[in-house]
Amino acid sequence: MGVFSYVLTWEPVIQKEDGKPFYRLIADALERDVAGGILKPGDRLPAQRELADFLGVNLTTVSRAFRLGRERGLLEAVVGRGTFIADPRAELSEERSFPGNAGGLIDLGMIHSLYSQNRLIAETVKQVSRRIGIERYFEYDEPYQGISHRRAGVRWLRQAGLSADEEEILIASGSQNALAAALMSLFRSGDRIGADPLTYTGFRQLAEMLNIELVPVEGGREGMNPEALSRLCREKGLGGVYLMPECQNPTAVTLSQERRQALAHVVGKEKLILLEDDHYSFLGNTGLPPVSALIPDRSVYIAGTSKSLGPGLRVSFIRAAGALRQAVARGLYNVNLTTSHFNCEVAASLIESGMADRIVALKREEAESRSRIADELLAGWRMSGSKRDYFRFLYLPDGWSGREFERAAAAAGVRVSCADRFAIGGQSAPAAVRLSLSAARNREELHRGLGILRGLLEQGPAAGPLFV
């Protein structure tokens, strides 16, 4: 142990094991002391340099131990304040927020579709149900769906700015199903995929289940950095990259045309597979074409209908060409055998009749109204997001961590999602939260929930529950 003149808030007892790196031994000691009650939620750990001095190791060793502690869910870092023992009750699995409004909370956590247009979907369901031969909808359909369904997919992708031939279209049971099939078909255990440091949790969890490593690619307000992606291809041997160019979840960042072109160039140069998850282009904030339009032979483009039409449809259109299409088609067949013929018929009818366009227009209108509420109530606070986005990413003032704000908001009656939920690669998350604008049952409830959050922001982290 080193010679020091300060009192440490934690003095770990290291139990050595042959062949185990010292940073892991530190993390193991941390885990033992948390489990044994020696360290409790909210306890502050020593500064990393002080602990390195005490243990007689270099700073990098302690930094790696703390990073591993965060990955195990034991620690949370608060910028400017230090590192603390995490509250094990703060479950960071996004689906724990489902269903919305449970327990009387105003739900600004989950990103829902806007449900007020469901009556229009119901009308189409009734029309499809009255057609002669409805019995056929409950039989096995051809594995890659009928030509009329794929033709509807071509039209659906065209409104997003992507041209496709009918034979390039595959249909999945929702975008999560499409992502699962793509990962299983195109990657293997141990492969590495570049992704934004804060990434959609559904994709992160799929990758974890398949033992595919997600490598964080630095970016910023303009989104993923092409130079960083290129460098990581050389350093980490990436095989693919996952992008949400339009309203990235959770940061609400949208890629510029120049950034899309630069990333497409890297995909082609490094021979990556691009997985493009295009959930929100239907909102029409930019009208920019997808990255896949720039590099069609190396991309798998996924356009869901959950947020734009309704999640109950469980229909997502995939555009892939050549060997990529063949591989994903095989994956879909082995996972699904076939996608629900009835659901595909409803989705295709909505698209071909123009009803889908009407629904999208109404959702845009509602999303824009809700966005105005957020921009007005949280004016002066730093947020990212555009005029019709379904959510905002709120950067918190000094003194807050994302987890602390999430807990304080819940105590005040509002559910939000802290940035820690979305971090990959052991990265420290910024002090920020994602605010869903679409989950509240109506604009009045959204207004009330955002008003509560504004009160918390104004009073600071020492504030107790606030009700308005």
Side-chain angles (χ1 to χ4, degrees):
M1 304 298 178
V3 177
F4 54 95
S5 59
Y6 38 78
V7 177
L8 294 180
T9 55
W10 176 55
E11 297 183 4
V13 177
I14 304 299
Q15 298 179 2
K16 294 188 176 181
E17 298 181 37
D18 291 341
K20 179 172 281 193
F22 200 85
Y23 78 92
R24 288 189 173 274
L25 297 178
I26 299 173
D28 290 347
L30 176 68
E31 192 163 10
R32 285 195 303 272
D33 286 354
V34 169
I38 296 173
L39 292 172
K40 297 179 175 57
D43 285 352
R44 182 175 179 173
L45 291 188
Q48 294 184 27
R49 193 172 299 278
E50 293 178 359
L51 189 57
D53 186 17
F54 171 75
L55 294 172
V57 298
N58 60 46
L59 179 61
T60 301
T61 299
V62 175
S63 296
R64 294 183 70 183
F66 277 33
R67 182 163 57 249
L68 184 57
R70 290 196 300 270
E71 291 176 6
R72 294 179 180 180
L74 301 171
L75 301 178
E76 60 178 323
V78 181
V79 177
R81 295 179 60 194
T83 303
F84 299 83
I85 301 301
D87 186 345
R89 296 169 297 178
E91 176 60 62
L92 294 183
S93 179
E94 185 179 20
E95 67 270 16
R96 299 291 185 181
S97 298
F98 189 84
N101 307 100
L105 296 181
I106 296 173
D107 189 3
L108 305 185
M110 286 291 289
I111 304 173
H112 291 185
S113 183
L114 294 167
Y115 295 145
S116 55
Q117 291 77 39
N118 283 357
R119 57 185 175 77
L120 300 177
I121 299 176
E123 291 174 11
T124 297
V125 170
K126 292 175 183 177
Q127 293 169 10
V128 170
S129 300
R130 287 195 293 266
R131 290 178 186 166
I132 298 174
I134 188 174
E135 296 85 359
R136 162 135 164 61
Y137 294 147
F138 302 102
E139 299 174 0
Y140 281 119
D141 195 17
E142 60 175 295
Y144 308 135
Q145 308 307 133
I147 188 69
S148 63
H149 300 160
R150 287 186 278 128
R151 187 182 300 120
V154 169
R155 178 171 173 176
W156 188 247
L157 267 58
R158 189 183 303 129
Q159 58 87 28
L162 185 65
S163 297
D165 297 328
E166 291 166 3
E167 59 268 20
E168 295 174 332
I169 298 296
L170 298 168
I171 304 179
S173 299
S175 293
Q176 191 72 4
N177 177 240
L179 287 170
L183 283 177
M184 289 187 291
S185 305
L186 301 173
F187 300 93
R188 297 290 177 266
S189 176
D191 283 352
R192 292 170 173 171
I193 297 175
D196 292 293
L198 301 180
T199 295
Y200 166 53
T201 56
F203 183 72
R204 186 196 70 202
Q205 290 164 358
L206 279 174
E208 289 175 356
M209 289 180 65
L210 297 170
N211 195 34
I212 294 170
E213 181 182 353
L214 297 186
V215 178
V217 184
E218 66 185 53
R221 293 189 180 186
E222 296 183 23
M224 185 179 290
N225 186 302
E227 290 77 17
L229 176 61
S230 184
R231 173 175 51 81
L232 287 170
C233 286
R234 297 188 299 272
E235 294 177 358
K236 299 289 188 178
L238 302 183
V241 60
Y242 172 72
L243 289 176
M244 295 184 74
E246 200 83 20
C247 191
Q248 193 268 350
N249 186 3
T251 64
V253 168
T254 291
L255 298 178
S256 66
Q257 179 66 18
E258 293 74 19
R259 186 58 59 97
R260 295 176 195 227
Q261 291 171 337
L263 288 169
H265 175 74
V266 175
V267 169
K269 178 183 177 182
E270 303 293 345
K271 295 181 171 54
L272 301 177
I273 296 173
L274 167 63
L275 300 180
E276 184 167 7
D277 188 355
D278 196 4
H279 249 53
Y280 298 105
S281 65
F282 77 94
L283 290 170
N285 281 320
T286 68
L288 294 174
V291 179
S292 294
L294 304 171
I295 189 84
D297 294 337
R298 301 209 61 84
S299 64
V300 176
Y301 176 84
I302 300 170
T305 60
S306 292
K307 300 299 188 293
S308 52
L309 298 179
L313 288 175
R314 308 312 308 147
V315 171
S316 185
F317 297 104
I318 304 171
R319 185 272 174 199
L324 294 180
R325 181 194 181 280
Q326 294 173 13
V328 177
R330 184 167 60 250
L332 284 170
Y333 178 79
N334 286 319
V335 171
N336 298 338
L337 190 61
T338 183
T339 302
S340 166
H341 186 189
F342 184 77
N343 287 8
C344 289
E345 186 67 19
V346 172
S349 296
L350 288 168
I351 294 168
E352 296 293 353
S353 69
M355 182 62 76
D357 295 335
R358 182 182 173 191
I359 292 171
V360 165
L362 291 170
K363 286 184 185 289
R364 286 178 175 177
E365 182 181 327
E366 178 65 18
E368 191 162 351
S369 295
R370 292 184 179 220
S371 288
R372 282 197 297 269
I373 294 172
D375 292 340
E376 291 168 4
L377 281 177
L378 298 179
W381 305 102
R382 181 188 167 197
M383 292 191 298
S384 56
S386 299
K387 61 182 180 181
R388 298 192 191 104
D389 288 342
Y390 274 19
F391 56 92
R392 290 285 189 273
F393 195 65
L394 172 67
Y395 293 89
L396 300 169
D398 291 344
W400 284 109
S401 73
R403 290 196 194 198
E404 288 174 330
F405 190 85
E406 181 178 304
R407 288 193 289 267
V414 182
R415 179 181 289 115
V416 300
S417 296
C418 67
D420 306 72
R421 294 176 178 271
F422 308 94
I424 64 172
Q427 298 288 297
S428 295
V433 292
R434 189 192 67 188
L435 308 179
S436 169
L437 308 183
S438 61
R441 288 171 290 194
N442 49 55
R443 298 177 199 175
E444 291 73 24
E445 184 176 77
L446 174 65
H447 193 286
R448 186 156 54 90
L450 291 175
I452 292 172
L453 298 184
R454 184 182 63 186
L456 287 175
L457 291 168
E458 291 172 344
Q459 294 186 28
L466 174 73
F467 299 93
V468 297

